[in-house]
């Protein structure tokens, strides 16, 4: 399925997102705001993430397996 969010999306402290059989469709998340992935010690994500803003991925203590894709617009300031 597809989820459209007007605003920011935070994907934190999760174990899986749309983890199911190979025959099912991946999840699609489209956001007008930022998408932030962080604090996921070991997470499996089966989705396509699209944002009109930059996407932030924190990977210091995260281990992410992504089956799908990620697209975010480039930002002028990498700290935001």
């Amino acid at each position: 399925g597809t989820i459209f969010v007007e605003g920011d999306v935070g994907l934190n402290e999760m174990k899986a997102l749309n983890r199911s059989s190979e025959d099912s469709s991946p999840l699609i998340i489209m956001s007008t705001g930022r998408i932030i992935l962080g604090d996921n010690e070991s997470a499996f994500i089966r989705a396509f993430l699209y944002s009109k803003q930059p996407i932030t991925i924190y990977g210091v203590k995260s281990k992410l397996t992504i089956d799908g894709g990620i697209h975010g617009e480039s930002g002028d300031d990498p700290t935001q």
Side-chain angles (χ1 to χ4, degrees), residues 15 19 32 40 44 46-47 68:
K15 298 286 183 193
R19 184 177 205 139
T32 60
N40 300 300
F44 179 85
R46 187 163 182 266

Side-chain angles (χ1 to χ4, degrees), residues 21-38:
S21 69
E22 297 279 332
D23 297 333
S24 65
S25 298
L27 178 64
I28 299 170
I29 298 177
M30 301 177 72
S31 174
T32 60
R34 301 175 65 83
I35 295 177
I36 300 171
L37 294 163

Side-chain angles (χ1 to χ4, degrees), residues 2-79:
T2 302
I3 298 174
F4 179 78
V5 179
E6 195 161 322
D8 294 343
V9 175
L11 301 171
N12 302 311
E13 298 180 14
M14 62 181 178
K15 298 286 183 193
L17 178 64
N18 195 36
R19 184 177 205 139
S20 60
S21 69
E22 297 279 332
D23 297 333
S24 65
S25 298
L27 178 64
I28 299 170
I29 298 177
M30 301 177 72
S31 174
T32 60
R34 301 175 65 83
I35 295 177
I36 300 171
L37 294 163
D39 296 329
N40 300 300
E41 290 184 25
S42 181
F44 179 85
I45 299 170
R46 187 163 182 266
F48 289 90
L49 308 175
Y50 172 81
S51 177
K52 290 186 175 182
Q53 301 293 322
I55 293 178
T56 302
I57 301 174
Y58 294 104
V60 173
K61 71 175 193 175
S62 297
K63 178 183 175 190
L64 302 173
T65 301
I66 300 172
D67 181 10
I70 296 177
H71 174 80
E73 298 296 325
S74 62
D76 294 335
D77 184 356
T79 62

